[in-house]
Amino acid sequence: MAGTARGTPGTPRVLRAMNDRAALELLVAHGPLTRARLGELTGLSKPTASQLLARLEAAGLVRATGTATGRPGPNARLYEIEPSAARIAALAVDPERGITAAVADITGEVVGEHRIRAPALADGTPERTVRLVAEAVDGALSAAGLTRKDLHHTVIGTPGALDPLTGALRYAPHLPGWQSRTLREELAETLGTPVVIENDVNLAAVAEQHHGTAQDFDDFVLVWADDGVGAAIVLGGNPLRGATGGAGEIGYMPLPGAPLARGGSDATAGADGGGGFQMLVSSPAVLTLARAHGFTADAAPAALAEALRTPGRGDAVLAELARRLATGLASVVAVVDPELVVLSGAVPQAGGERLRSLVEAELTDLALPRPELRLSAVEGSPILKGALRTALRAARHSVFDTT
């Protein structure tokens, strides 16, 4: 740790701040710790560890929380992160499901949630979008007994991606109220916090890195197949964004057997302007495929559930869907050559292990690189969990800085 490194440049104030951050990160990772244990983990002496904890307690960053029992000698006091040191808001925007907002404290515990129904997103304007986001956040704050002044950071996951040059949301023509170049600034002014608008599939990959099946991988691709289709390409632990933020927009990727999407982000093929791969493996495409084989479910997950328990017709649906998924994955794998491909979204989750194994068999025949293929292991909403993780990282970076 900073207090024991030789030749570490900086003033005593900087070294103290480095030790403070190291201690806070350890409390986040391990939960409540005694002074002695914190000293062991940081390499600090007992007096220095005591001074550090007193300093952090006075700053409102840690608090005493009972005592450690079941050990020789006097019971030692336990210390933990002060939950109220910061609160963050995370939102997931879905044209089919609406806006879901969650508020969490600095430990990551969700203390309030609220959802705005999907019809509210139709025919939106930037002004109305700001009001809807504020309504969702205020609902989550109210559930937690908090107000906007308690927030430190906000992360919003949406389809599409912000163009780093213009600030406009691209690849999401189905969200008309989100196209303003000044939307992020308007949201920040209304909510009173810094606001990050991030691609929803990139956030799903963040959740997979921290809570799911990609925890041991720095290079992987997460393929999302739901109402929309996209990918997060993670290299060296970081998402690849591209010059206009559009890296991973594989829903537009031309593939045999699918209509082409012409006009880029303004294309009209499909519900959200997608084409190519999206027209083959999105939830609407899966539902069409299932109905062509005589299934009558009104949603893709239900149709796949029927296919899984129906020999013959169901096998044909699963085999065709696996072929389509593998054809798209082969193009991605040939370019990126990742260690791992994660299948996420409603379609792969509904198809389960049987669909995954069929895709793996098809992909083996199509692509020379042969990455490991896994299903997402994130419970709940991966997008919302990724937004929470991203907001927490930003809030901790700021709040844990004691310089």
Side-chain angles (χ1 to χ4, degrees):
M1 293 298 173
T4 60
R6 295 183 179 179
T8 303
T11 64
R13 179 184 177 189
V14 172
L15 294 176
R16 282 196 300 270
M18 293 172 67
N19 285 330
D20 290 348
R21 181 177 291 276
L24 290 165
E25 294 290 354
L26 285 167
L27 289 171
V28 166
H30 294 274
L33 295 171
T34 64
R35 181 200 63 183
R37 181 58 179 153
L38 191 63
E40 291 173 3
L41 292 172
T42 58
L44 299 174
S45 66
K46 289 183 180 180
T48 302
S50 295
Q51 293 169 8
L52 178 150
L53 285 169
R55 186 166 62 245
L56 295 179
E57 193 169 15
L61 294 175
V62 303
R63 67 181 184 183
T65 175
T67 57
T69 59
R71 51 192 296 170
N75 292 336
R77 179 174 293 183
L78 288 165
Y79 292 88
E80 68 178 2
I81 295 291
E82 170 57 61
S84 65
R87 281 92 169 204
I88 56 94
L91 296 92
V93 178
D94 188 308
E96 301 296 325
R97 300 176 180 87
I99 301 175
T100 302
V103 170
D105 61 34
I106 195 68
T107 71
E109 181 179 356
V110 174
V111 293
E113 290 193 50
H114 188 69
R115 174 174 290 183
I116 302 292
R117 293 185 179 275
L121 300 182
D123 302 321
T125 63
E127 294 78 12
R128 188 161 183 264
T129 295
V130 172
R131 289 198 301 271
L132 288 173
V133 170
E135 181 183 341
V137 172
D138 286 344
L141 286 168
S142 177
L146 303 170
T147 65
R148 293 182 196 175
K149 66 180 178 61
D150 296 304
L151 282 182
H152 285 72
H153 207 84
T154 302
V155 172
I156 304 172
T158 74
L162 284 187
D163 188 320
L165 299 178
T166 68
L169 187 70
R170 304 190 66 190
Y171 314 102
H174 54 321
L175 289 174
W178 293 76
Q179 307 304 318
S180 169
R181 297 186 179 191
T182 61
L183 179 62
R184 182 169 53 183
E185 289 74 18
E186 293 167 8
L187 287 168
E189 182 177 358
T190 297
L191 297 176
T193 76
V195 171
V196 171
I197 300 176
E198 175 64 282
N199 173 261
D200 52 2
V201 182
N202 282 346
L203 292 177
V206 170
E208 209 67 52
Q209 283 178 294
H210 291 275
H211 305 290
T213 194
Q215 293 183 53
D216 298 325
F217 293 84
D218 290 327
D219 300 302
F220 70 96
V221 172
L222 182 140
V223 174
W224 180 270
D226 206 299
D227 294 312
V229 174
I233 302 168
V234 179
L235 301 175
N238 298 307
L240 177 68
R241 300 185 182 280
T244 64
E249 291 292 339
I250 61 173
Y252 298 90
M253 187 167 60
L255 287 177
L260 297 177
R262 299 187 183 277
S265 61
D266 297 321
T268 57
D272 69 350
F277 195 32
Q278 175 154 310
M279 300 299 284
L280 294 177
V281 300
S282 65
S283 290
V286 171
L287 192 57
T288 299
L289 171 64
R291 286 177 175 171
H293 286 79
F295 293 99
T296 59
D298 59 1
L304 288 173
E306 288 183 14
L308 285 167
R309 59 177 180 262
T310 306
R313 292 183 298 124
D315 295 336
V317 170
L318 294 167
E320 173 60 17
L321 178 56
R323 184 190 65 79
R324 294 179 181 186
L325 282 165
T327 300
L329 288 178
S331 297
V332 176
V333 167
V335 174
V336 180
D337 189 18
E339 297 178 83
L340 171 72
V341 172
V342 180
L343 299 177
S344 190
V347 170
Q349 291 298 311
E353 174 57 28
R354 185 171 169 196
L355 178 61
R356 187 211 66 81
S357 63
L358 289 170
V359 174
E360 184 176 59
E362 288 281 345
L363 186 60
T364 298
D365 291 336
L366 292 174
L368 184 59
R370 293 175 182 173
E372 189 170 351
L373 187 66
R374 297 181 180 179
L375 288 171
S376 170
V378 176
E379 298 181 0
S381 168
I383 297 167
L384 195 61
K385 286 196 171 182
L388 283 166
R389 173 61 56 175
T390 302
L392 279 172
R393 183 169 60 239
R396 289 168 181 168
H397 180 76
S398 174
V399 173
F400 289 178
D401 184 358
T402 61
T403 55

